[in-house]
Amino acid sequence: MFTRLAESQFLHYAIGSGSGGLSALRRLASQPACRMLTVDLFDTLLLRGVRPETARFKRLADRLAGLSDCRDQNVSSTAILEARLQCCRLAYQAAAAVNSTREAKIEDVLKMQVASLALHPDLRNDFLNHELELEAKSLRPNLPLVNLCRQLLQNGLRIAVVSDMYLDVLSLRHLLRHHGLDDFCETVYVSAEYGVSKASGHLFSLVAEREGTSFPAIVHVGDNFRSDFIAPRRKGIGAVWLPRAISWRLYNGLWNRALYIKHVHFKGL
């Protein structure tokens, strides 16, 4: 019973944001047995503002509606947003399930989105470029974590960015470079590239295999209780949970749910 409770979203939201922390990360990563640090990207290494995913998609849709091709065909911002939300859902449903998790790719989402809007396939590149530009503006480096990672890097520890995300490796490297984190670009693993996730544990297995590193020699840090704490610990990886403030998580989650209900649930998408 305790295990089920510990893995639940309820505990994720109920526990205060001070759990774990940089001091715990420094201690684990400084142990002689540690050879590699894996770091989650979004809301860990790069922090978002309070605007949730659906609100970011709405802002992106407003911008895309201003493109000449969209204006010429009278494609509205609302239509672009709802197509994006629906195509995201369909892309994840179409992906192969691994331990009950599915990993979509941005290229598949955009391919379905422009097709559903009857737009030219070449617009996928414009859609992606605008998304990356807005994504970059919504992020800021987590400087205390960045500084600690750089200290550990200077001490000889290998560092890799490991993310569950539909964006590809090139897109993640673009976001890192945009924020001056070029030294984190060398080794990036993302679920969209490999079809397996941190949440299932399989992405950690892939990282260990490709890096030639045993699980006990890895320390991982991230903000998601299930993907960044429970899953790596099950593999024998040292893990530190570094969540956003509980006020941020509650506000972000409620805002996102309200927008999703407005644009998807009531429309039966």
Side-chain angles (χ1 to χ4, degrees), residues 216-234:
I218 301 174
V219 171
H220 178 74
V221 59
D223 72 296
N224 187 285
F225 189 67
R226 177 190 174 196
S227 301
D228 296 312
F229 187 72
I230 293 294
R233 282 173 63 88
R234 282 179 168 170

Side-chain angles (χ1 to χ4, degrees), residues 19-22 24-25 28 219-223 228-229 238-242:
S19 300
L22 296 183
L25 178 60
L28 285 175
V219 171
H220 178 74
V221 59
D223 72 296
D228 296 312
F229 187 72
V240 176
W241 184 39
L242 201 67

Side-chain angles (χ1 to χ4, degrees), residues 135-208:
E135 188 75 78
K137 290 180 179 178
S138 75
L139 296 164
R140 61 181 174 85
N142 183 350
L143 292 179
L145 177 60
V146 168
N147 292 335
L148 175 56
C149 288
R150 283 175 171 160
Q151 291 174 19
L152 295 169
L153 190 63
Q154 290 176 357
N155 293 339
L157 199 66
R158 183 166 174 78
I159 295 181
V161 170
V162 181
S163 177
D164 282 352
M165 184 58 168
Y166 47 79
L167 293 174
D168 57 23
V169 168
L170 290 179
S171 296
L172 298 195
R173 285 178 172 152
H174 169 81
L175 295 174
L176 288 165
R177 290 192 179 98
H178 178 87
H179 290 283
L181 303 181
D182 302 59
D183 43 344
F184 290 87
C185 291
E186 180 183 356
T187 310
V188 178
Y189 294 92
V190 61
S191 60
E193 293 273 327
Y194 300 101
V196 293
S197 66
K198 291 182 299 178
S200 69
H202 289 289
L203 189 56
F204 290 113
S205 297
L206 185 144
V207 171

